[in-house]
Amino acid sequence: MEASGVVPISLKSSGRSRRRQRTNYVAQGASVFAAFLAIGVLALVVISVLVRGLKAINLDLFTKNQVTFGETGGGIANGLVGTAIIVAIATAIALPVGIFAAIYVAEFAGSRASRVVRLALDVLNGVPSIVVGIFAYALLVVGSGYAAWKASVALAIVMLPLVARSTIEVLRLVSDSLRYGSYALGISKWRTVLFVVMPSAIGSIMTGATLAVARAAGETAPLLFTTSIFLPNQVVTDPSHAMAAVPLLILFDSESPDPSLNNQAWAAAFVLMFFVLVLSLSARYVLARRERKLRAR
Amino acid sequence: MDAPIAKPPLDRLASRRGLRDRLGDSSLRWISALAAVGVITVIALIIYEVIDQARPSIRTFGISFVWHRTWNAVTDQYGALDFLVATLYVTGLAVLLAAPVAIAIGLYLSELAPGGVRGVVGSLVEMLAAIPSVVLGLWGILVLGPVVHNEFGPWLNDVLGWTPFFATRPISGSTMFTAVLVLAIMIVPITAAISRDLFLQVPPDIKEGAIGLGLTRWEMVRGVMLPYTRGGLISAVLLGAGRALGEAIAVTQVIGTTAHLTANLFETGDTLASRIAAQYQAAASNLQVASLFYLGVILLAISLIVNFAALLIVRRYDIAQRV
């Protein structure tokens, strides 16, 4: 007579609960499906570029220059040298300006000044690269002609907010106790900034800069307006002349009706992508490890 | 009687160091302030110079440039409407296509994926965000274009030909549809990486609280995670939109660079950025060059508005979270 009146409670879900479970499965399934679909498409893009590039790649690509239209063969040696020089000069401009601007924001500026500079950096980051291109064209090219250093200036403007923003983030992560410890020893501010704060942040700053270099190496629009559309067919090392660059070669070869030039575009794209991906992946890896260390401190 | 202890020249040391430190402090302060002023000058100079170069066109056509359709080098008549509409249309569709997928990737990577997959797929997504746009354009023109021309085009026209979007079959691979796909592929990784980071920032205690109350995982996502990250998600999508708006090269490669004012995605098109990229070398008159700069002014204005909106939303959301 003890349990006769008690209705056994079923642990199986039913009714409303079942419906909620079903919604849950459907929604999760849809999310996983969408994620896989998108990742699949993205992977397909990368693989198709890599496969076509690998097929077209050969030693001539690195050792020979572009040929004039109609001839076959040739390589992109002039573009590789051009990109290396243009990006190097751009880095030499963007790195000091970006890092010092970040030092100002993180170490010296009051809250209002720091907000203004950070706003300027955010705005600069939002300027489309083609607008940077026409700006450099109007400011530097009109009246005096194309030159590689003008392309470097344009790329430096693209890199500047990337470098400065990542440096500000890194300097913020450096613990204040480090600064106070230094002040307590009677060390002045500039020594504290340059010899205590910077050494503990410089690694992460450099990885941020590496990401900016990777981005600049692939930029095409700023180059289009600053270093000639009629690319020289030989290696140029003087930055006051127009220079070929890998992204420009890819652009022109991709629109060419000549399939051998299309093949060259794939090979050049492979080289560019390989460079950019290796650079950004290793930078990200190092950055993640360093930030974990800095946070743990 | 003790040997007099030589008094160290503390004063002199202190004053010498004092001078050096005063100099060092103020020079570091000034150098870094100069760099900061440099940043502000660059952005101000960009805005000024682009408007200044557009001045002849602004003077000739005024604000009506924005809603006039003609772009005729022979009669020297220029208007931006076709490009403006195409820019908003193509970007809007790309964002519409990319945003849900990107957020789904973010959810998958932060909530659903097993640990090992998370790292691999996560870095794959970040890798994709670093692909140069000219490489995407190359893929778009040589691989995606023919597929759109021969497969997607006829098929979508058969199935959805009654809508205005797919009213005809594409006559080549260079269409607005191709541009939409390329832009979507470009912004998915950017938006996905940011949304994953946002989802990872949701405090575990409120997620566990929701699960503890008996919510299913999806209810927890919809009821806790999405509201918590809403501001950040909107600005992640806006940042993606900003990238797509200003993308010149990949779009120039695949869109066909001939303007049409139509909803038909299988027509060629021309955006603000792609028109500038395609025409500046061939510009015949000063007025045409100025009009291209005028397009640049419009593009700059739109992308600054989009980026500001993203910043404002983030800020409001940050404050709301702190309260």
Side-chain angles (χ1 to χ4, degrees):
Chain A
M1 77 156 259
E2 316 88 73
S4 65
V6 177
V7 184
I9 296 168
S10 164
L11 288 177
K12 270 174 77 182
S13 62
S14 62
R16 202 173 148 71
S17 166
R18 172 115 36 95
R19 208 176 60 230
R20 287 173 54 206
Q21 290 295 350
R22 221 177 292 138
T23 316
N24 182 42
Y25 286 130
V26 170
Q28 275 191 35
S31 163
V32 172
F33 176 74
F36 269 92
L37 184 75
I39 292 164
V41 170
L42 293 172
L44 197 74
V45 174
V46 176
I47 291 169
S48 87
V49 173
L50 292 183
V51 167
R52 277 157 218 264
L54 260 185
K55 247 186 255 162
I57 217 162
N58 54 35
L59 197 62
D60 281 357
L61 193 75
F62 302 97
T63 57
K64 289 197 176 146
N65 293 328
Q66 282 253 292
V67 290
T68 40
F69 186 77
E71 294 176 44
T72 51
I76 56 164
N78 53 339
L80 291 170
V81 172
T83 286
I85 294 174
I86 292 172
V87 173
I89 299 176
T91 311
I93 301 171
L95 218 51
V97 179
I99 290 178
F100 276 110
I103 288 180
Y104 182 74
V105 169
E107 307 287 337
F108 288 101
S111 71
R112 188 180 298 172
S114 111
R115 212 178 307 146
V116 171
V117 180
R118 273 184 301 145
L119 181 69
L121 287 171
D122 288 339
V123 172
L124 199 54
N125 200 35
V127 173
S129 64
I130 189 156
V131 174
V132 174
I134 59 172
F135 162 71
Y137 176 75
L139 192 72
L140 302 170
V141 176
V142 171
S144 61
Y146 295 112
W149 68 268
K150 295 169 185 174
S152 301
V153 171
L155 285 187
I157 295 175
V158 174
M159 292 171 74
L160 185 57
L162 302 174
V163 173
R165 277 158 41 124
S166 69
T167 307
I168 293 173
E169 289 301 311
V170 176
L171 290 179
R172 290 249 159 98
L173 281 179
V174 174
S175 144
D176 269 342
S177 56
L178 215 60
R179 295 189 181 92
Y180 296 149
S182 169
Y183 294 150
L185 290 170
I187 297 171
S188 60
K189 182 153 193 176
W190 72 281
R191 280 177 191 274
T192 306
V193 171
L194 291 186
F195 302 114
V196 177
V197 175
M198 285 305 273
S200 70
I202 194 73
S204 313
I205 293 174
M206 284 304 141
T207 32
T210 312
L211 289 178
V213 169
R215 169 82 186 279
E219 277 293 344
T220 318
L223 303 182
L224 201 56
F225 297 90
T226 46
T227 177
S228 175
I229 46 160
F230 307 108
L231 300 172
N233 279 347
Q234 67 276 51
V235 172
V236 177
T237 49
D238 178 358
S240 63
H241 288 81
M243 252 182 221
V246 177
L248 289 179
L249 296 181
I250 297 174
L251 175 63
F252 299 141
D253 287 352
S254 77
E255 291 179 335
S256 163
D258 177 354
S260 82
L261 282 181
N262 287 168
N263 270 336
Q264 202 175 57
W266 287 114
F270 178 87
V271 174
L272 183 64
M273 214 159 92
F274 186 77
F275 175 73
V276 167
L277 291 186
V278 166
L279 221 54
S280 64
L281 269 189
S282 52
R284 268 174 213 285
Y285 176 71
V286 176
L287 195 68
R289 254 186 36 188
R290 268 178 210 281
E291 272 185 5
R292 223 174 296 140
K293 254 194 236 161
L294 269 179
R295 284 223 173 84
R297 210 182 272 162
Chain B
M1 51 158 282
D2 284 331
I5 299 165
K7 212 176 140 202
L10 272 179
D11 296 358
R12 215 170 355 120
L13 272 182
S15 77
R16 195 185 301 156
R17 224 192 58 182
L19 180 66
R20 201 189 299 158
D21 281 349
R22 268 204 307 274
L23 266 180
D25 276 0
S26 57
S27 39
L28 185 60
R29 170 184 279 273
W30 282 111
I31 291 171
S32 62
L34 201 68
V37 171
V39 172
I40 298 170
T41 316
V42 166
I43 182 70
L45 209 58
I46 288 177
I47 294 171
Y48 169 79
E49 189 71 33
V50 174
I51 293 177
D52 189 49
Q53 295 288 324
R55 200 159 286 165
S57 177
I58 296 176
R59 213 179 296 125
T60 314
F61 303 115
I63 189 73
S64 65
F65 183 78
V66 175
W67 57 81
H68 273 196
R69 288 200 52 199
T70 341
W71 186 278
N72 190 333
V74 180
T75 58
D76 236 12
Q77 282 289 317
Y78 305 102
L81 188 67
D82 287 8
F83 317 116
L84 183 62
V85 171
T87 304
L88 298 179
Y89 187 47
V90 169
T91 306
L93 284 179
V95 169
L96 225 55
L97 200 63
V101 174
I103 293 172
I105 296 181
L107 266 181
Y108 174 75
L109 288 177
S110 63
E111 289 298 309
L112 304 170
V117 177
R118 219 171 268 202
V120 174
V121 177
S123 44
L124 179 73
V125 168
E126 279 173 3
M127 208 167 92
L128 290 162
I131 294 183
S133 62
V134 69
V135 174
L136 269 185
L138 170 71
W139 179 81
I141 193 173
L142 293 179
V143 178
L144 185 62
V147 173
V148 167
H149 184 197
N150 301 321
E151 326 278 332
F152 285 176
W155 182 72
L156 279 171
N157 179 243
D158 286 348
V159 180
L160 293 167
W162 49 275
T163 61
F165 307 112
F166 306 108
T168 58
R169 291 185 174 212
I171 46 169
S172 79
S174 299
T175 65
M176 287 200 271
F177 184 70
T178 325
V180 168
L181 292 183
V182 166
L183 285 180
I185 290 173
M186 197 175 96
I187 54 185
V188 159
I190 302 169
T191 317
I194 304 176
S195 28
R196 179 201 57 184
D197 291 348
L198 284 168
F199 289 136
L200 287 176
Q201 276 171 22
V202 178
D205 43 352
I206 65 170
K207 279 162 53 181
E208 283 154 16
I211 298 288
L213 286 171
L215 266 62
T216 63
R217 185 129 60 155
W218 168 243
E219 287 163 346
M220 186 268 287
V221 166
R222 228 187 47 180
V224 175
M225 296 184 65
L226 290 183
Y228 190 89
T229 52
R230 190 170 46 207
L233 287 179
I234 294 173
S235 57
V237 170
L238 283 179
L239 285 179
R243 270 294 284 280
L245 273 175
E247 178 49 46
I249 299 305
V251 173
T252 312
Q253 280 165 293
V254 299
I255 204 169
T257 54
T258 314
H260 289 284
L261 199 59
T262 169
N264 185 356
L265 286 168
F266 288 143
E267 286 279 5
T268 57
D270 214 354
T271 66
L272 293 166
S274 69
R275 164 85 9 169
I276 300 172
Q279 285 226 329
Y280 89 100
Q281 341 145 357
S285 69
N286 287 337
L287 194 58
Q288 190 175 2
V289 174
S291 298
L292 288 172
F293 272 94
Y294 203 165
L295 294 182
V297 172
I298 298 171
L299 176 61
L300 188 59
I302 300 174
S303 31
L304 290 190
I305 290 169
V306 169
N307 278 286
F308 265 121
L311 283 179
L312 276 183
I313 290 167
V314 160
R315 191 159 303 155
R316 246 187 53 186
Y317 148 89
D318 274 353
I319 290 164
Q321 288 308 316
R322 231 174 281 138
V323 170

